[in-house]
Amino acid sequence: MTRSSLQTIGVHTVMAALVMLSSPAGAATFNYLYIEASEGNSSGGHTAIQFDDDIYHYQHVDSGLIRLFRQEKNDFHFLYRYLQNRPIHLSRIEVSEDTFDLLKDQFTWQFLTQERQFKWLNDLNRERIFIRRLLQKANDGQSITDGDAASVLRLKGVGLFYPEPGHQPQPTESVFSRQQSLNIRRLRQKIEQHYGSDFLHRRREQLESQIQALAPTLWPTINSDLAGEKFPASLYSFTEKYSDTLTALFAIIALINAPPLQADALLQTDPPTFKISVAERRGLRQLRNDLETGLVKAVYSNRPDWGYAVLVNLARYLAIDATLQSGHWFFIDDFADNSEWVKPEQYLEHQAQIRILIRDARMALHRIRQSAQSRQRLSEAEYSQIEMAANRYIELLKSEQHRDFRYTGEKALPSKSIAFPDSPLPNLTNKQLITALSALDNGEKSLFETMKQRYRYDLIGRNCVTELFRTIDQALLAPYRSGDKLSDPNVLVMKESEKRLGGYVEIPYNFIPFVSYRSVLDRYHVTQNRDLESYRGLELAKLKARQNNLIAALRESNVVSSHLYRYNPDDALFVFFTDDNVLLRPLFGAVNTAAGIGQSIYGLFSWPLDSGKNLRSGATGILMSLPELFFFNMRKGSYKYLSFNQLSQTDLPDE
């Protein structure tokens, strides 16, 4: 071997050793994300932290509290970079696997703990509304007219077969409605053959007795240490017990009386497009038999939510039978009650993008159907995917007739609900109700005050940035929690942060998202920094690559001539984009401010007609435009009707 060869080997060996030494054994990485300012939520900018494919970020909620949310990576990028059109700046931080686990575990713990705590708060509120309803009913014999009661106290799944209380039933007016009743009667016969001829009536009496015997929940004392290590208890509240038992009662009554599905519960499809294949027919027959067997077992279940499961599977059983009888698909409407509706005047300017949504929905439905046909059996999970995709596609098709349609809200399980009916009700005295209501008022107030002390939102002291770093600090202290009070936790956190992360970010001086991003770059062990463009930025770059840069920039600088942006009514009125025009930003900002003032003046006169919408939008436009006068950009425009498939064409950072 020559001398030069030995030197080459030596150099390579030294380089390999340096590489190994530069990264600690078992190194891992996580991402710190800074999302630029924009109109809407987190208008001053936003921050998040990413572990693998999970992104955690704090947001201000309507209750005045700040709450930790968890989103899948693709969903997060689609929301912020695409729909909200906001660039994201990513800093990748290298740590040991032990530190990575500490941080990830703390954020997971915090998320799950808050989920349980906020559920407690919602359950207490729901319970209080229900007790008030019972008390009013007991005092004057009439149901409560409280608007909260109608929206909060609902029976999930019952709306598939029964109308809202006080409304007339609207069954499907076709030969299928008669067939539905016949199928339910046949199913009832199978249940009676299995359990006895009087089983359903006995089950009904049992459920009615259970409802009468229900008593208010004794809520435990609220723990004042919400940051403690003990996970909040799971409670099965009085209102949940009533709701589950009453839903089960409706399921039994449906099997006894055999009502057809409500007219708005069953979706009929266009036969040429939705004709079933031989393979689909075979799979649907097998699934119908599986649902039938499952329904016979479910009516004897001890699960609290068995009534909802019976109603959903019974509805699907009828939809599958209608599909087999007709030769083309029928589906249960699986959109949520609070789904977002859009009107023609909101989407007509975006018809090209709506057509992309329709195309993608059609292709998604085709892929799922093809995948299901390739298997020997059609599972309930696969059927649910077909049902969701079909609901999405059918709903979007309404736009071709310029009709209102539901843009979001499809669910894996149909949930069509009705408000709590006037009867049957628990057999409770006024004294029991008053005592329970007083305890609930105190409990809800106590929990909210406790949560406010821990999670109260503050623009400077407790926002999306400060809470991320507080959670990081809590993670770094986790190995030292032995029950003894730490003498100086602040000093310990600083030392641990310097050792594990490369430096320490002081919370009081880093409450501004952009400032915190710079601090992370300066102090943490950042191995990579990436600027991830917004949707408009990506499309503008493609446009400039195909056309003359100057012409494309001039045309896309304003909403009038832009090919990439169509005015979205959710955005306050503006004329010029200023995010990519730094030098002209004050001039463009002055024009945008004038546009906001003009819309506000118009809003004063149109107030009686639009309930102040133009006035609010104009005021928002002024607030978003004023920073532009000082070279600071906030508003970027949004893209409401983008397809999620368009995100797949983007280079997303791997974790």
Side-chain angles (χ1 to χ4, degrees), residues 191-209:
I191 292 172
E192 290 175 341
Q193 288 172 4
H194 197 274
Y195 298 110
S197 59
D198 62 342
F199 170 78
L200 291 175
H201 290 285
R202 286 189 287 108
R203 193 70 157 136
R204 176 177 182 171
E205 291 173 358
Q206 178 190 33
L207 292 168
E208 289 173 341
S209 297

Side-chain angles (χ1 to χ4, degrees), residues 448-592:
F448 184 74
E449 289 299 319
T450 302
M451 292 180 69
K452 192 163 67 171
Q453 293 173 15
R454 180 70 179 88
Y455 306 131
R456 177 182 52 80
Y457 174 79
D458 182 86
L459 182 62
I460 296 175
R462 190 174 280 147
N463 61 24
C464 67
V465 185
T466 63
E467 296 312 287
L468 276 184
F469 288 107
R470 281 199 178 95
T471 308
I472 290 173
D473 289 353
Q474 290 169 6
L476 298 177
L477 287 176
Y480 300 94
R481 291 178 190 144
S482 60
D484 299 329
K485 188 174 181 180
L486 298 174
S487 58
D488 198 339
N490 293 331
V491 172
L492 183 57
V493 163
M494 291 177 63
K495 290 181 179 178
E496 284 293 307
S497 184
E498 290 169 357
K499 180 178 74 173
R500 293 177 178 272
L501 302 174
Y504 179 65
V505 175
E506 296 178 271
I507 295 175
Y509 308 110
N510 289 276
F511 64 91
I512 300 173
F514 174 73
V515 174
S516 74
Y517 163 66
R518 295 305 311 177
S519 294
V520 167
L521 285 177
D522 293 340
R523 296 168 192 174
Y524 283 176
H525 187 206
V526 175
T527 59
Q528 184 185 17
N529 188 49
R530 291 187 60 182
D531 298 328
L532 307 174
E533 271 290 3
S534 65
Y535 171 76
R536 180 175 174 273
L538 292 169
E539 294 301 307
L540 187 57
K542 294 176 186 176
L543 199 62
K544 288 181 177 179
R546 297 193 303 265
Q547 302 176 5
N548 180 279
N549 275 8
L550 180 60
I551 294 175
L554 288 173
R555 189 183 64 216
E556 296 303 324
S557 66
N558 64 90
V559 300
V560 178
S561 61
S562 175
H563 290 183
L564 297 178
Y565 177 82
R566 290 289 180 268
Y567 178 62
N568 178 5
D570 292 341
D571 297 335
L573 182 65
F574 69 104
V575 179
F576 287 105
F577 292 97
T578 65
D579 51 333
D580 53 352
N581 290 286
V582 179
L583 294 178
L584 295 175
R585 191 170 288 168
L587 177 61
F588 286 176
V591 177
N592 289 339

